[in-house]
Amino acid sequence: MGMASEDVVVIQVGNSTGEPSIVTVNCPDQTGLGCDLCRVILEFGLCITRGDVSTDGQWCYVVFWVVPVSPSINIRWENLKTRLMGLCPSCPIPFYFDSINTSASAQMYLLKLFSVDRKGLLHDVTQVLGELELLIHRVKVSTTPDGRVIDFFFITDGMELLHTQQRRDETIERLTSVLGESVNKCEIQLAEDFQQGFSSLPPEVAEKLFSLNLCDGEVSSETLIPDMKKLKKANVTIDNSLSPSHTLVKIQCVDQKGLLYDIMRTLKECDIQIVYCRFLSDMKAFREVDLFVQETDGKKIMDPEKQDAISSRLKLEMLYPLRLMLVDRGPDTELLVANPVEVSGIGRPRVFYNVTLALKLLGICIFSAEIGRHRTSERQWEVYKFLLNDNLEIPLTNRWSRSQIVDRVMKILMGF
């Protein structure tokens, strides 16, 4: 007899502030499911503090203890449950969502926003879209000489309702309510023939942004500031002696936002199947992760070269899942942030939100912004470009100020 759909995902919300909520997923297994679950949890603004994952290759049982990354985030638990259920194989959506037009799930929409410029405007828009579960795939933001802003957001709807007039009206009403009189016009329409734009980077900038070297478990790059180097260390041990049929991958590293997502994503890209995972933390903000894994053919990872490749890849992705640098573009200063794109073509959640938050807290206005893709010889990247406005408090030509910008943005991105 089949399992009731409402029992596939069960969420036990914490009784008080700071108490973890427990998310349990019990469903048929499929390749990359753990990565997909972690991505959606991260997208909702939640941090996984503890986790247990087990599977026999046919059925999986997952338990995550989660807390909001910020007390100000309002988590829509029922919406999270629905999104997680949608990831589970052979899991029908509850009856009250049957009326949704599933063909609209991948439909791209264009949000056009015309407003008066002010500090923090772009982040406020991004926050509203995040709260409404509207996912930003591409953005083009520009400021006119008279101080007016033209924002184009290419978005999809996590709730799959943006094809309805009610959902569009709700979105416009929320934006108008938050932004107030600064909004001149706001409209939403279908984005016909949408294509993900590719970001053009000068070769010397691309080389500096994407090249990293590993040395004794630490990362060396000009884009990594000194304070971050002190925090970021990782140890990866691969052991075949503890199980007759599985390889143990043991990870010890500094805790950071999206850590389990980065581990799951990396193993998915390496075609490694996770049979069991335990995710723990200690009081010093360090994480211990034990994973029993197999090759796709069900065998242990015996090839020493492949073991070294997996170990190096995990270290690199944990130490530096995002790339960040400030560059001069003529007389202007541009902030570049890049993250790997999954093999499925999906980018990392909440990057745009976190960067705009950091710049708002620093009091730095964004003159223009855009999201595009960049392909290197090994992979595809999602690249965020922010052209910054200079100000007296944080002069962008000052080396100390530039270091402070990089430091603040990276710490918010990584949750330090």
Side-chain angles (χ1 to χ4, degrees):
M1 185 174 180
M3 190 176 192
S5 62
E6 62 268 20
D7 295 330
V8 172
V9 177
V10 177
I11 300 179
Q12 180 182 338
V13 181
N15 294 322
S16 59
T17 302
E19 180 182 351
S21 299
I22 303 175
V23 178
T24 304
V25 180
N26 189 12
C27 70
D29 196 14
Q30 71 177 12
T31 303
L33 179 60
C35 173
D36 297 337
L37 295 173
C38 290
R39 185 198 326 109
V40 170
I41 288 172
L42 181 60
E43 180 187 311
F44 271 73
L46 291 165
C47 174
I48 300 173
T49 62
R50 179 183 168 192
D52 283 290
V53 179
S54 61
T55 177
D56 60 3
Q58 301 295 322
W59 199 271
C60 72
Y61 184 72
V62 180
V63 184
F64 291 137
W65 286 257
V66 300
V67 295
V69 296
S70 169
S72 63
I73 296 179
N74 179 30
I75 306 298
R76 298 186 177 190
W77 295 105
E78 284 301 319
N79 292 2
L80 173 61
K81 178 177 179 177
T82 302
R83 290 285 301 282
L84 294 176
M85 288 178 64
L87 297 173
C88 298
S90 304
C91 175
I93 300 298
F95 70 90
Y96 46 84
F97 281 96
D98 285 348
S99 61
I100 293 177
N101 179 7
T102 55
S103 65
S105 61
Q107 179 62 60
M108 193 72 63
Y109 294 86
L110 173 60
L111 167 64
K112 297 180 180 179
L113 181 66
F114 304 85
S115 63
V116 178
D117 193 19
R118 63 168 173 79
K119 287 183 179 180
L121 174 68
L122 188 54
H123 175 71
D124 293 342
V125 174
T126 305
Q127 182 170 0
V128 171
L129 297 181
E131 291 172 351
L132 292 172
E133 296 177 53
L134 299 173
L135 310 181
I136 301 172
H137 296 267
R138 188 178 176 188
V139 64
K140 181 68 175 179
V141 176
S142 57
T143 306
T144 63
D146 62 352
R148 297 189 178 275
V149 176
I150 304 172
D151 296 345
F152 290 164
F153 293 90
F154 291 88
I155 57 178
T156 55
D157 186 4
M159 295 178 64
E160 304 177 10
L161 289 171
L162 205 53
H163 60 285
T164 67
Q165 191 61 46
Q166 180 181 354
R167 176 68 162 162
R168 297 189 191 189
D169 290 342
E170 177 195 12
T171 301
I172 293 173
E173 181 180 342
R174 284 285 300 278
L175 286 168
T176 304
S177 174
V178 171
L179 303 180
E181 298 180 354
S182 60
V183 177
N184 296 325
K185 185 180 179 181
C186 182
E187 58 186 45
I188 300 173
Q189 64 188 52
L190 283 173
E192 301 291 348
D193 301 323
F194 171 80
Q195 292 184 349
Q196 183 67 59
F198 278 81
S199 181
S200 176
L201 294 174
E204 63 276 9
V205 173
E207 174 68 22
K208 190 174 181 181
L209 184 63
F210 298 119
S211 64
L212 289 168
N213 297 313
L214 276 174
C215 180
D216 297 328
E218 298 187 13
V219 68
S220 175
S221 170
E222 292 185 31
T223 62
L224 187 60
I225 56 178
D227 287 346
M228 300 292 288
K229 291 180 181 178
K230 297 176 183 178
L231 292 173
K232 301 179 75 62
K233 295 182 179 180
N235 293 314
V236 177
T237 304
I238 296 180
D239 190 346
N240 278 310
S241 65
L242 297 179
S243 170
S245 55
H246 306 104
T247 297
L248 171 63
V249 179
K250 190 175 186 65
I251 300 170
Q252 295 175 309
C253 63
V254 175
D255 190 17
Q256 60 196 32
K257 194 183 298 181
L259 175 61
L260 192 56
Y261 164 72
D262 289 319
I263 294 172
M264 296 283 190
R265 171 179 58 81
T266 302
L267 293 177
K268 177 182 178 181
E269 293 171 355
C270 294
D271 292 325
I272 299 299
Q273 296 178 339
I274 299 172
V275 179
Y276 174 77
C277 170
R278 183 182 62 178
F279 182 73
L280 300 173
S281 65
D282 61 22
M283 298 303 293
K284 297 180 180 180
F286 273 79
R287 291 286 181 188
E288 287 191 2
V289 187
D290 292 335
L291 304 112
F292 285 91
V293 301
Q294 294 176 328
E295 301 253 29
T296 52
D297 59 4
K299 297 180 180 179
K300 299 165 71 170
I301 307 171
M302 301 301 297
D303 184 358
E305 291 187 1
K306 187 163 188 178
Q307 291 180 13
D308 291 342
I310 292 172
S311 177
S312 297
R313 182 71 177 272
L314 281 169
K315 288 179 184 179
L316 186 62
E317 297 297 335
M318 288 183 299
L319 291 171
Y320 214 32
L322 295 126
R323 314 293 168 87
L324 188 154
M325 63 185 296
L326 281 171
V327 297
D328 293 323
R329 202 173 83 175
D332 302 314
T333 300
E334 188 172 59
L335 173 66
L336 300 176
V337 180
N339 61 262
V341 175
E342 292 183 31
V343 292
S344 61
I346 301 175
R348 187 185 187 87
R350 297 179 71 83
V351 174
F352 197 78
Y353 172 89
N354 286 316
V355 175
T356 55
L357 171 61
L359 295 176
K360 178 182 179 179
L361 294 175
L362 287 167
I364 296 175
C365 286
I366 301 169
F367 183 79
S368 68
E370 64 179 71
I371 303 174
R373 298 287 172 95
H374 181 87
R375 186 179 296 278
T376 63
S377 59
E378 297 180 350
R379 68 199 315 177
Q380 190 178 92
W381 297 81
E382 197 162 49
V383 179
Y384 301 77
K385 295 181 176 181
F386 301 89
L387 194 63
L388 307 180
N389 279 336
D390 208 346
N391 63 56
L392 296 177
E393 295 180 2
I394 306 181
L396 300 178
T397 56
N398 183 279
R399 184 175 180 179
W400 182 87
S401 297
R402 293 164 74 99
S403 177
Q404 290 301 303
I405 294 171
V406 172
D407 179 82
R408 188 63 174 272
V409 173
M410 184 59 84
K411 284 183 176 179
I412 288 183
L413 282 168
M414 303 307 295
F416 293 141

